[in-house]
Amino acid sequence: MAGSMRLVAQPDTWELRVFVGRDTFGKVKHRYVRFHGTKRRAERELARLVSEREAKPAPIVESRLRWNSTTTVNDAIAAWRNNGWQDLPHRQ
């Protein structure tokens, strides 16, 4: 898990940044926190934020289906199964 910090204002205002994962489009996501205090206290807070994030389970990134001319019948059936399969009438 990655984290970084930078001084954003004098005196002692730090921006702490923690990597939280990627969204459904694969874009990197971070959590930003402003911290007021010494550099040493900011480093401790960053370590706490990183360990807090590492304690949580990794988010599951699902690829988002984009409907266009290349969408296959199998893609449509998979999307239907994921979003409404239970609506089908059951025959016995």
Side-chain angles (χ1 to χ4, degrees):
M1 186 72 54
S4 63
M5 59 186 270
R6 68 183 180 116
L7 186 64
V8 292
Q10 293 291 341
D12 295 332
T13 301
W14 301 89
E15 180 182 77
L16 309 178
R17 183 177 77 161
V18 178
F19 174 77
V20 294
R22 295 181 177 269
D23 65 7
T24 57
F25 297 107
K27 186 176 176 185
V28 174
K29 294 292 181 185
H30 291 94
R31 177 178 174 208
Y32 293 90
V33 176
R34 286 282 172 112
F35 181 81
H36 302 283
T38 64
K39 182 177 182 179
R40 185 171 177 94
R41 287 184 56 216
E43 289 170 344
R44 287 182 183 162
E45 179 65 13
L46 178 60
R48 187 189 68 76
L49 290 171
V50 169
S51 64
E52 179 182 282
R53 180 64 195 136
E54 286 176 342
K56 294 180 182 177
I60 298 171
V61 178
E62 297 178 11
S63 62
R64 190 167 168 175
L65 182 62
R66 295 189 179 104
W67 297 95
N68 58 28
S69 62
T70 62
T71 302
T72 65
V73 172
N74 287 338
D75 292 337
I77 291 172
W80 186 22
R81 182 183 63 231
N82 293 336
N83 296 318
W85 198 262
Q86 65 277 6
D87 294 341
L88 289 176
H90 295 288
R91 294 192 180 239
Q92 297 182 3

